[in-house]
Amino acid sequence: MMFDAKGRLMRLLPWVNQSGAPCYLSTDDPDSRLSRLADEVEADLLDSAEYVLTEARALLAETVVGERELRFAGVRLAESLRDTLRIATSRGERLEVGLMLAEDDETGAYAAEHCSRNSGA
């Protein structure tokens, strides 16, 4: 996980920069314009991966397939897997932070309730 200078989680975006390095977004607003764009790109990439998988399975079911077709399918499958893993990593990081925040809220609520009971005794 990466955090910005203000301690906010940096969201791994589903694209890379021109040199191939990952791109990150720093925002507290999951409904920001760039967050919504990233969500749309992720959905498109997952739809594309599903299509590539379906077509590759059909190709592999054929009894006679040329080397070019197999190589093309393999390259597309590798690209789809790369994109899907990037999306899974990004979502997993955001889920992990969300769970940590929920635990903090539960701990705080428990402590507040427990302390208020004991302070009246």
Side-chain angles (χ1 to χ4, degrees), residues 1-117:
M1 274 186 270
M2 291 184 59
F3 296 90
D4 68 7
K6 295 181 180 180
R8 294 180 297 206
L9 176 69
M10 302 282 288
R11 176 183 177 172
L12 176 63
L13 295 172
W15 54 80
V16 295
N17 66 19
Q18 291 178 347
S19 63
C23 294
Y24 292 89
L25 172 63
S26 173
T27 181
D28 286 332
D29 183 5
D31 199 38
S32 71
R33 185 174 178 184
L34 197 52
S35 292
R36 288 192 319 269
L37 175 63
D39 291 342
E40 291 171 16
V41 171
E42 285 180 355
D44 289 345
L45 289 170
L46 292 174
D47 288 345
S48 176
E50 188 172 344
Y51 175 78
V52 168
L53 180 59
T54 299
E55 293 301 312
R57 282 183 172 153
L59 182 70
L60 294 171
E62 296 291 324
T63 55
V64 179
V65 179
E67 181 183 338
R68 291 180 73 191
E69 290 87 355
L70 286 174
R71 183 174 304 281
F72 181 81
V75 169
R76 299 292 83 81
L77 285 166
E79 291 170 350
S80 294
L81 179 58
R82 177 203 60 211
D83 294 340
T84 302
L85 288 172
R86 181 180 290 120
I87 292 166
T89 298
S90 177
R91 291 181 179 183
E93 288 174 350
R94 287 181 279 147
L95 179 61
E96 188 176 320
V97 168
L99 290 173
M100 288 184 331
L101 292 174
E103 284 178 1
D104 287 349
D105 287 347
E106 288 176 12
T107 302
Y110 174 81
E113 180 180 332
H114 183 71
C115 290
S116 66
R117 281 190 207 159

